[in-house]
Amino acid sequence: MKQLAIVFTVALVALFCCQCSTSQYAQAKKGAKSTPYTVLENYFVRNTVKPTKRYRIVLDNEKDFDAIFGHASLMGSLPTDINWKKQYVVAIMLPETNRPTMVTPLDVKQSPGNVIFYYQVNTGLKTSYTIVPFAAVALERTIEPQELQVFFIEK
């Protein structure tokens, strides 16, 4: 009987937490409009970073960005420039995998104090190598990133 009460309490707490985040998302979504963003290309996740779960991050300076991402110049194409005085970065990283995985930004919406980052994940067949799949976008600084609530929505 005591175990049933504990399970019931945990279920109620989990439901309440889901309701809170759902209502926060619903509030953020209300009045949110698509905002211009730049997809960051020709970067990779450094091999010193090994996320074991989905990792969502907002970066507002070059030092923190360079600690996670490296530049990958491919056949003459340079990494996307980031103007740190005018932009900040929103990124999603997935756990290391041996399957080719594309994380594609679909849309970014903003409402006052909120950013909603929509992305899609496509996974391929097993390979002999591993990667850390990620997607990152640069957004204009309308307000300081520390004052934002960011929602990551996989479609």
Side-chain angles (χ1 to χ4, degrees), residues 48-128:
T48 55
V49 179
K50 302 234 186 241
T52 56
K53 60 181 182 176
R54 229 169 265 266
Y55 187 59
R56 301 162 178 109
I57 190 165
V58 177
L59 300 162
D60 64 355
N61 65 71
E62 188 171 10
K63 181 182 174 192
D64 292 344
F65 182 84
D66 288 342
I68 298 171
F69 298 102
H71 302 259
S73 298
L74 301 172
M75 306 264 305
S77 59
L78 298 173
T80 308
D81 281 333
I82 305 166
N83 182 343
W84 292 103
K85 291 181 180 175
K86 295 181 180 180
Q87 295 177 310
Y88 65 97
V89 172
V90 175
I92 177 93
M93 286 184 287
L94 304 180
E96 188 175 41
T97 181
N98 65 347
R99 296 177 182 267
T101 304
M102 294 293 300
V103 183
T104 309
L106 299 175
D107 194 15
V108 178
K109 295 185 183 253
Q110 279 189 305
S111 60
N114 299 299
V115 173
I116 305 169
F117 180 29
Y118 293 95
Y119 65 94
Q120 181 176 19
V121 177
N122 294 318
T123 306
L125 302 174
K126 286 185 180 180
T127 62
S128 59

